[in-house]
Amino acid sequence: MNALVPMPVMLPMLGAGICLVLGRSARAQRIVSLAVLSAVVVISGVLLWKTDASGPQVVDVGGWGDLGISLVADRLSALLLVVSSIVTLCVLAYSLGQGIVEYGRDTPLSVFHPTYLVLVAGVSNAFLSGDLFNLYVGFEVLLAASYVLITLGGTAARVRAGTTYVVVSLLSSLIFLIAIALVYAATGTVNLASLASRIDDLPDGVTLILQLMLLTAFGIKAAVFPLGAWLPDSYPTAPAPVTAVFAGLLTKVGVYAMIRVQTLLFPDSPLEGLLLVAALLTMVIGILGAVAQSDIKRLLSFTLLSHIGYMMFGLALATTIDSPIALAGTVYYVIHHITVQTTLFLVSGLIEIRGGSTNLDLIGGLARVSPVLGVLFFIPAMNLAGIPPFSGFLGKVALLQAGAESGTWLAYVLVAGGVVTSLLTLYAMAKAWNRAFWQAPPDSVEATPAEGALHGGDAVAVDAPRTSAMPISLVVPTAVLVAVGLAFTVAAGPLFGIAERSADELRDRTPYITAVTDAADR
């Protein structure tokens, strides 16, 4: 069974190579990409079942102990692999349909499939990595692929936004690399299981510096305030499926890294107050930015920032209360948010196709011309806002309960901030739904590049796309993700049970350390 652990990394890399060889056949590339990602979904499901039943599964690549590469699948990484593989498969299916809509059948897209598969391999490698340097490699692999995807099409708006994204990403990577060098200099290893014991022997000041360096690097990648100012200007100009997978998944890789190092390396963190303040500011400032937006993509980008704050809230409380509710709520909220945020960005792509823009000043009356689109937007929007009984509500209740259990004045401030943020999210999403679907459509207006358009900034006449129907090839994968989001509510009990067992495993640390040590000794 351990042989399956490297498969979510190896299969996409192998598929990317095959896609490059088949560069002249778009059909063959599609078949390879769909087959690879479908296989990753199945393998990830098997890994989740195995880790939940038998504990962490480890592969010591090369058999070199501390000098080798440990790939570790525990409940947290396996659960994130399952959700991320489902999301990336649906986004791939959506992108196949949008390739026909945006680029035309005769336009070569040979770069998209191998790049997308490399991105998936990088994400999987980050989730499975058992040492800091391999985690860095996973980040760099996914970032290298993201540089290509975010500038796909080469429009001026996308290149401009992509430049900011690349510069910020390189800065975070540099900080991460320096942190790894400092960790190795202080402890002689970058293996996470070995670090868990050796880092306790370091002076408190050294430990604090290492923790701050790692948190800063991961905070930039997760877009935590004030390190996430780059995100709202970078994501909205990319093609809808690219924005969807970036918003839904890539920031969560940063959140995952924070969860892993905080629970495994710094379980007695003195930075609870700092993390709580960062969580509060991320929630409040993000949602205030969302309320002020008149473009759906930018609105969603700011809600993405805001809801990272909920995950930070649970992480900050994880080591300060006796129950696993804070960490379990964070894990559950991460998988909920990956799905819902990805779905909303895919729906925004459908709105752009059906309405000609995502600018709320330029569209309206979509409920009359496309009731299905209204339903596809309404369900994940209310889920994101946390309306009962959706999964967003369940995750927030767990986090607010953890805040109340903590009992500190700062935790109570976070509880109040979380409630206000949820209400403002509801206001922002209701405003977008009302203006896009129920207000009277405006007179014909010539859109400008700054107003956002179908091709990442090119002018598009508002009236022209309104006459076109939504391609079924885009509607189906979006509807599947809406259904997955609803499944998180229907199956909330078993899913939250896995999240609780994952939280217990993270807090205990022993199963992870023992599994890695035993694999190195074999």
Side-chain angles (χ1 to χ4, degrees), residues 454-494:
L454 192 61
H455 295 267
D458 295 337
V460 174
V462 171
D463 277 349
R466 278 185 190 149
T467 59
S468 58
M470 294 186 300
I472 191 68
S473 57
L474 303 185
V475 173
V476 170
T478 307
V480 169
L481 275 184
V482 171
V484 172
L486 288 175
F488 286 173
T489 300
V490 175

mmCIF file of all heavy atoms in Angstrom, residues 454-494:
data_model
loop_
_atom_site.group_PDB
_atom_site.id
_atom_site.type_symbol
_atom_site.label_atom_id
_atom_site.label_comp_id
_atom_site.label_asym_id
_atom_site.label_seq_id
_atom_site.Cartn_x
_atom_site.Cartn_y
_atom_site.Cartn_z
ATOM 1 N N LEU A 454 -13.932 39.257 -21.236
ATOM 2 C CA LEU A 454 -13.811 37.819 -21.455
ATOM 3 C C LEU A 454 -12.374 37.372 -21.653
ATOM 4 O O LEU A 454 -11.986 36.293 -21.250
ATOM 5 C CB LEU A 454 -14.653 37.453 -22.680
ATOM 6 C CG LEU A 454 -14.889 35.977 -22.925
ATOM 7 C CD1 LEU A 454 -15.631 35.371 -21.759
ATOM 8 C CD2 LEU A 454 -15.666 35.799 -24.214
ATOM 9 N N HIS A 455 -11.570 38.221 -22.281
ATOM 10 C CA HIS A 455 -10.210 37.810 -22.621
ATOM 11 C C HIS A 455 -9.169 38.507 -21.765
ATOM 12 O O HIS A 455 -8.115 38.883 -22.228
ATOM 13 C CB HIS A 455 -9.939 38.092 -24.103
ATOM 14 C CG HIS A 455 -10.806 37.271 -24.998
ATOM 15 N ND1 HIS A 455 -10.446 36.061 -25.512
ATOM 16 C CD2 HIS A 455 -12.068 37.489 -25.431
ATOM 17 C CE1 HIS A 455 -11.421 35.559 -26.260
ATOM 18 N NE2 HIS A 455 -12.420 36.414 -26.222
ATOM 19 N N GLY A 456 -9.464 38.705 -20.480
ATOM 20 C CA GLY A 456 -8.482 39.268 -19.573
ATOM 21 C C GLY A 456 -8.158 40.706 -19.840
ATOM 22 O O GLY A 456 -7.039 41.151 -19.683
ATOM 23 N N GLY A 457 -9.147 41.486 -20.246
ATOM 24 C CA GLY A 457 -8.927 42.911 -20.380
ATOM 25 C C GLY A 457 -9.272 43.450 -21.744
ATOM 26 O O GLY A 457 -9.389 44.649 -21.926
ATOM 27 N N ASP A 458 -9.486 42.613 -22.739
ATOM 28 C CA ASP A 458 -9.875 43.106 -24.050
ATOM 29 C C ASP A 458 -11.315 43.592 -24.016
ATOM 30 O O ASP A 458 -12.162 43.040 -23.331
ATOM 31 C CB ASP A 458 -9.735 41.985 -25.102
ATOM 32 C CG ASP A 458 -8.282 41.589 -25.272
ATOM 33 O OD1 ASP A 458 -7.414 42.419 -24.951
ATOM 34 O OD2 ASP A 458 -8.037 40.456 -25.699
ATOM 35 N N ALA A 459 -11.589 44.627 -24.772
ATOM 36 C CA ALA A 459 -12.930 45.174 -24.797
ATOM 37 C C ALA A 459 -13.915 44.191 -25.401
ATOM 38 O O ALA A 459 -13.637 43.528 -26.393
ATOM 39 C CB ALA A 459 -12.945 46.470 -25.595
ATOM 40 N N VAL A 460 -15.076 44.066 -24.765
ATOM 41 C CA VAL A 460 -16.115 43.176 -25.270
ATOM 42 C C VAL A 460 -17.445 43.899 -25.198
ATOM 43 O O VAL A 460 -17.781 44.480 -24.169
ATOM 44 C CB VAL A 460 -16.203 41.887 -24.416
ATOM 45 C CG1 VAL A 460 -17.379 41.030 -24.859
ATOM 46 C CG2 VAL A 460 -14.923 41.104 -24.527
ATOM 47 N N ALA A 461 -18.198 43.925 -26.274
ATOM 48 C CA ALA A 461 -19.494 44.553 -26.257
ATOM 49 C C ALA A 461 -20.427 43.772 -25.347
ATOM 50 O O ALA A 461 -20.528 42.556 -25.449
ATOM 51 C CB ALA A 461 -20.073 44.618 -27.659
ATOM 52 N N VAL A 462 -21.095 44.468 -24.418
ATOM 53 C CA VAL A 462 -21.911 43.783 -23.427
ATOM 54 C C VAL A 462 -23.043 43.016 -24.062
ATOM 55 O O VAL A 462 -23.391 41.916 -23.649
ATOM 56 C CB VAL A 462 -22.459 44.815 -22.415
ATOM 57 C CG1 VAL A 462 -23.485 44.160 -21.496
ATOM 58 C CG2 VAL A 462 -21.331 45.395 -21.608
ATOM 59 N N ASP A 463 -23.640 43.565 -25.129
ATOM 60 C CA ASP A 463 -24.809 42.914 -25.706
ATOM 61 C C ASP A 463 -24.465 41.628 -26.445
ATOM 62 O O ASP A 463 -25.274 40.724 -26.536
ATOM 63 C CB ASP A 463 -25.506 43.857 -26.686
ATOM 64 C CG ASP A 463 -26.434 44.803 -25.933
ATOM 65 O OD1 ASP A 463 -26.657 44.552 -24.737
ATOM 66 O OD2 ASP A 463 -26.893 45.775 -26.537
ATOM 67 N N ALA A 464 -23.249 41.567 -26.980
ATOM 68 C CA ALA A 464 -22.935 40.430 -27.837
ATOM 69 C C ALA A 464 -22.997 39.087 -27.139
ATOM 70 O O ALA A 464 -23.712 38.185 -27.591
ATOM 71 C CB ALA A 464 -21.570 40.645 -28.484
ATOM 72 N N PRO A 465 -22.327 38.894 -25.995
ATOM 73 C CA PRO A 465 -22.348 37.580 -25.381
ATOM 74 C C PRO A 465 -23.689 37.210 -24.768
ATOM 75 O O PRO A 465 -23.936 36.063 -24.511
ATOM 76 C CB PRO A 465 -21.258 37.674 -24.303
ATOM 77 C CG PRO A 465 -20.429 38.860 -24.670
ATOM 78 C CD PRO A 465 -21.408 39.783 -25.308
ATOM 79 N N ARG A 466 -24.537 38.220 -24.478
ATOM 80 C CA ARG A 466 -25.801 37.904 -23.838
ATOM 81 C C ARG A 466 -26.665 36.989 -24.696
ATOM 82 O O ARG A 466 -27.517 36.285 -24.203
ATOM 83 C CB ARG A 466 -26.589 39.195 -23.586
ATOM 84 C CG ARG A 466 -26.167 39.931 -22.351
ATOM 85 C CD ARG A 466 -27.073 41.103 -22.148
ATOM 86 N NE ARG A 466 -26.548 41.965 -21.117
ATOM 87 C CZ ARG A 466 -26.733 43.268 -21.090
ATOM 88 N NH1 ARG A 466 -27.421 43.852 -22.040
ATOM 89 N NH2 ARG A 466 -26.230 43.984 -20.116
ATOM 90 N N THR A 467 -26.440 37.008 -26.002
ATOM 91 C CA THR A 467 -27.265 36.203 -26.884
ATOM 92 C C THR A 467 -26.788 34.770 -26.962
ATOM 93 O O THR A 467 -27.461 33.927 -27.508
ATOM 94 C CB THR A 467 -27.246 36.796 -28.298
ATOM 95 O OG1 THR A 467 -25.889 36.810 -28.752
ATOM 96 C CG2 THR A 467 -27.776 38.226 -28.283
ATOM 97 N N SER A 468 -25.574 34.493 -26.411
ATOM 98 C CA SER A 468 -25.040 33.141 -26.517
ATOM 99 C C SER A 468 -25.420 32.325 -25.293
ATOM 100 O O SER A 468 -25.511 32.840 -24.186
ATOM 101 C CB SER A 468 -23.514 33.206 -26.664
ATOM 102 O OG SER A 468 -22.959 33.882 -25.570
ATOM 103 N N ALA A 469 -25.633 31.025 -25.503
ATOM 104 C CA ALA A 469 -25.990 30.145 -24.397
ATOM 105 C C ALA A 469 -24.734 29.661 -23.711
ATOM 106 O O ALA A 469 -23.628 29.707 -24.255
ATOM 107 C CB ALA A 469 -26.794 28.970 -24.933
ATOM 108 N N MET A 470 -24.899 29.175 -22.473
ATOM 109 C CA MET A 470 -23.755 28.630 -21.749
ATOM 110 C C MET A 470 -23.430 27.246 -22.309
ATOM 111 O O MET A 470 -24.318 26.403 -22.427
ATOM 112 C CB MET A 470 -24.074 28.518 -20.265
ATOM 113 C CG MET A 470 -24.269 29.826 -19.562
ATOM 114 S SD MET A 470 -24.462 29.568 -17.789
ATOM 115 C CE MET A 470 -25.912 28.524 -17.743
ATOM 116 N N PRO A 471 -22.144 26.985 -22.617
ATOM 117 C CA PRO A 471 -21.772 25.649 -23.105
ATOM 118 C C PRO A 471 -22.005 24.613 -22.015
ATOM 119 O O PRO A 471 -21.619 24.814 -20.862
ATOM 120 C CB PRO A 471 -20.284 25.803 -23.420
ATOM 121 C CG PRO A 471 -20.064 27.267 -23.552
ATOM 122 C CD PRO A 471 -21.034 27.931 -22.637
ATOM 123 N N ILE A 472 -22.620 23.514 -22.385
ATOM 124 C CA ILE A 472 -22.899 22.452 -21.419
ATOM 125 C C ILE A 472 -21.601 21.881 -20.853
ATOM 126 O O ILE A 472 -21.565 21.407 -19.715
ATOM 127 C CB ILE A 472 -23.739 21.337 -22.094
ATOM 128 C CG1 ILE A 472 -24.262 20.375 -21.040
ATOM 129 C CG2 ILE A 472 -22.947 20.624 -23.151
ATOM 130 C CD1 ILE A 472 -25.293 20.970 -20.114
ATOM 131 N N SER A 473 -20.521 21.960 -21.655
ATOM 132 C CA SER A 473 -19.231 21.445 -21.190
ATOM 133 C C SER A 473 -18.668 22.279 -20.043
ATOM 134 O O SER A 473 -17.770 21.817 -19.329
ATOM 135 C CB SER A 473 -18.222 21.422 -22.344
ATOM 136 O OG SER A 473 -18.092 22.716 -22.902
ATOM 137 N N LEU A 474 -19.159 23.493 -19.867
ATOM 138 C CA LEU A 474 -18.756 24.310 -18.725
ATOM 139 C C LEU A 474 -19.722 24.155 -17.557
ATOM 140 O O LEU A 474 -19.318 24.226 -16.394
ATOM 141 C CB LEU A 474 -18.676 25.785 -19.120
ATOM 142 C CG LEU A 474 -17.751 26.169 -20.282
ATOM 143 C CD1 LEU A 474 -17.717 27.675 -20.456
ATOM 144 C CD2 LEU A 474 -16.355 25.641 -20.051
ATOM 145 N N VAL A 475 -20.995 23.948 -17.893
ATOM 146 C CA VAL A 475 -22.016 23.855 -16.850
ATOM 147 C C VAL A 475 -21.856 22.567 -16.036
ATOM 148 O O VAL A 475 -21.968 22.585 -14.802
ATOM 149 C CB VAL A 475 -23.422 23.934 -17.470
ATOM 150 C CG1 VAL A 475 -24.493 23.670 -16.408
ATOM 151 C CG2 VAL A 475 -23.643 25.289 -18.111
ATOM 152 N N VAL A 476 -21.563 21.462 -16.718
ATOM 153 C CA VAL A 476 -21.515 20.162 -16.027
ATOM 154 C C VAL A 476 -20.436 20.113 -14.939
ATOM 155 O O VAL A 476 -20.727 19.765 -13.784
ATOM 156 C CB VAL A 476 -21.340 19.013 -17.050
ATOM 157 C CG1 VAL A 476 -21.041 17.700 -16.332
ATOM 158 C CG2 VAL A 476 -22.592 18.879 -17.897
ATOM 159 N N PRO A 477 -19.158 20.463 -15.247
ATOM 160 C CA PRO A 477 -18.169 20.416 -14.157
ATOM 161 C C PRO A 477 -18.462 21.406 -13.040
ATOM 162 O O PRO A 477 -18.169 21.115 -11.870
ATOM 163 C CB PRO A 477 -16.838 20.750 -14.854
ATOM 164 C CG PRO A 477 -17.196 21.321 -16.168
ATOM 165 C CD PRO A 477 -18.526 20.769 -16.542
ATOM 166 N N THR A 478 -19.073 22.549 -13.394
ATOM 167 C CA THR A 478 -19.440 23.505 -12.338
ATOM 168 C C THR A 478 -20.526 22.909 -11.451
ATOM 169 O O THR A 478 -20.460 23.011 -10.213
ATOM 170 C CB THR A 478 -19.940 24.815 -12.963
ATOM 171 O OG1 THR A 478 -18.969 25.292 -13.894
ATOM 172 C CG2 THR A 478 -20.168 25.873 -11.896
ATOM 173 N N ALA A 479 -21.517 22.268 -12.078
ATOM 174 C CA ALA A 479 -22.599 21.651 -11.307
ATOM 175 C C ALA A 479 -22.074 20.513 -10.430
ATOM 176 O O ALA A 479 -22.547 20.311 -9.303
ATOM 177 C CB ALA A 479 -23.682 21.135 -12.250
ATOM 178 N N VAL A 480 -21.086 19.780 -10.940
ATOM 179 C CA VAL A 480 -20.498 18.701 -10.134
ATOM 180 C C VAL A 480 -19.849 19.272 -8.872
ATOM 181 O O VAL A 480 -20.011 18.733 -7.767
ATOM 182 C CB VAL A 480 -19.461 17.912 -10.967
ATOM 183 C CG1 VAL A 480 -18.650 16.979 -10.075
ATOM 184 C CG2 VAL A 480 -20.161 17.121 -12.061
ATOM 185 N N LEU A 481 -19.128 20.391 -9.025
ATOM 186 C CA LEU A 481 -18.499 20.993 -7.845
ATOM 187 C C LEU A 481 -19.535 21.566 -6.880
ATOM 188 O O LEU A 481 -19.340 21.534 -5.659
ATOM 189 C CB LEU A 481 -17.520 22.091 -8.269
ATOM 190 C CG LEU A 481 -16.109 21.629 -8.640
ATOM 191 C CD1 LEU A 481 -15.210 22.810 -8.949
ATOM 192 C CD2 LEU A 481 -15.498 20.797 -7.516
ATOM 193 N N VAL A 482 -20.635 22.092 -7.407
ATOM 194 C CA VAL A 482 -21.720 22.541 -6.529
ATOM 195 C C VAL A 482 -22.245 21.345 -5.728
ATOM 196 O O VAL A 482 -22.488 21.446 -4.515
ATOM 197 C CB VAL A 482 -22.864 23.182 -7.348
ATOM 198 C CG1 VAL A 482 -24.075 23.450 -6.456
ATOM 199 C CG2 VAL A 482 -22.395 24.486 -7.984
ATOM 200 N N ALA A 483 -22.393 20.207 -6.412
ATOM 201 C CA ALA A 483 -22.866 18.993 -5.735
ATOM 202 C C ALA A 483 -21.862 18.513 -4.688
ATOM 203 O O ALA A 483 -22.255 18.054 -3.600
ATOM 204 C CB ALA A 483 -23.122 17.893 -6.763
ATOM 205 N N VAL A 484 -20.566 18.625 -4.993
ATOM 206 C CA VAL A 484 -19.545 18.234 -4.008
ATOM 207 C C VAL A 484 -19.642 19.126 -2.768
ATOM 208 O O VAL A 484 -19.549 18.646 -1.624
ATOM 209 C CB VAL A 484 -18.135 18.317 -4.627
ATOM 210 C CG1 VAL A 484 -17.054 18.116 -3.561
ATOM 211 C CG2 VAL A 484 -17.976 17.282 -5.730
ATOM 212 N N GLY A 485 -19.865 20.426 -2.996
ATOM 213 C CA GLY A 485 -20.035 21.340 -1.864
ATOM 214 C C GLY A 485 -21.242 20.963 -1.018
ATOM 215 O O GLY A 485 -21.187 21.013 0.217
ATOM 216 N N LEU A 486 -22.331 20.558 -1.681
ATOM 217 C CA LEU A 486 -23.516 20.117 -0.931
ATOM 218 C C LEU A 486 -23.246 18.807 -0.201
ATOM 219 O O LEU A 486 -23.774 18.576 0.905
ATOM 220 C CB LEU A 486 -24.695 19.948 -1.894
ATOM 221 C CG LEU A 486 -25.302 21.250 -2.451
ATOM 222 C CD1 LEU A 486 -26.370 20.929 -3.481
ATOM 223 C CD2 LEU A 486 -25.878 22.097 -1.325
ATOM 224 N N ALA A 487 -22.417 17.949 -0.817
ATOM 225 C CA ALA A 487 -22.091 16.669 -0.175
ATOM 226 C C ALA A 487 -21.347 16.893 1.142
ATOM 227 O O ALA A 487 -21.464 16.082 2.074
ATOM 228 C CB ALA A 487 -21.245 15.812 -1.117
ATOM 229 N N PHE A 488 -20.583 17.988 1.228
ATOM 230 C CA PHE A 488 -19.906 18.288 2.485
ATOM 231 C C PHE A 488 -20.907 18.570 3.605
ATOM 232 O O PHE A 488 -20.590 18.403 4.778
ATOM 233 C CB PHE A 488 -18.979 19.492 2.321
ATOM 234 C CG PHE A 488 -17.723 19.200 1.564
ATOM 235 C CD1 PHE A 488 -16.849 20.208 1.217
ATOM 236 C CD2 PHE A 488 -17.401 17.909 1.204
ATOM 237 C CE1 PHE A 488 -15.688 19.942 0.513
ATOM 238 C CE2 PHE A 488 -16.242 17.618 0.509
ATOM 239 C CZ PHE A 488 -15.382 18.641 0.156
ATOM 240 N N THR A 489 -22.105 19.024 3.234
ATOM 241 C CA THR A 489 -23.154 19.236 4.228
ATOM 242 C C THR A 489 -23.851 17.922 4.556
ATOM 243 O O THR A 489 -24.044 17.580 5.725
ATOM 244 C CB THR A 489 -24.183 20.251 3.695
ATOM 245 O OG1 THR A 489 -23.522 21.487 3.419
ATOM 246 C CG2 THR A 489 -25.290 20.484 4.706
ATOM 247 N N VAL A 490 -24.216 17.172 3.519
ATOM 248 C CA VAL A 490 -24.932 15.910 3.720
ATOM 249 C C VAL A 490 -24.077 14.919 4.520
ATOM 250 O O VAL A 490 -24.574 14.231 5.406
ATOM 251 C CB VAL A 490 -25.333 15.306 2.353
ATOM 252 C CG1 VAL A 490 -25.972 13.941 2.546
ATOM 253 C CG2 VAL A 490 -26.263 16.250 1.614
ATOM 254 N N ALA A 491 -22.774 14.873 4.179
ATOM 255 C CA ALA A 491 -21.860 13.931 4.853
ATOM 256 C C ALA A 491 -21.009 14.647 5.887
ATOM 257 O O ALA A 491 -19.852 14.257 6.143
ATOM 258 C CB ALA A 491 -20.972 13.246 3.819
ATOM 259 N N ALA A 492 -21.572 15.681 6.499
ATOM 260 C CA ALA A 492 -20.780 16.481 7.444
ATOM 261 C C ALA A 492 -20.310 15.655 8.633
ATOM 262 O O ALA A 492 -19.182 15.852 9.121
ATOM 263 C CB ALA A 492 -21.590 17.679 7.915
ATOM 264 N N GLY A 493 -21.158 14.727 9.105
ATOM 265 C CA GLY A 493 -20.779 13.923 10.268
ATOM 266 C C GLY A 493 -19.521 13.097 10.031
ATOM 267 O O GLY A 493 -18.523 13.239 10.760
ATOM 268 N N PRO A 494 -19.528 12.224 8.998
ATOM 269 C CA PRO A 494 -18.310 11.443 8.728
ATOM 270 C C PRO A 494 -17.103 12.312 8.379
ATOM 271 O O PRO A 494 -15.976 12.010 8.802
ATOM 272 C CB PRO A 494 -18.720 10.573 7.525
ATOM 273 C CG PRO A 494 -20.209 10.499 7.597
ATOM 274 C CD PRO A 494 -20.674 11.788 8.177
#
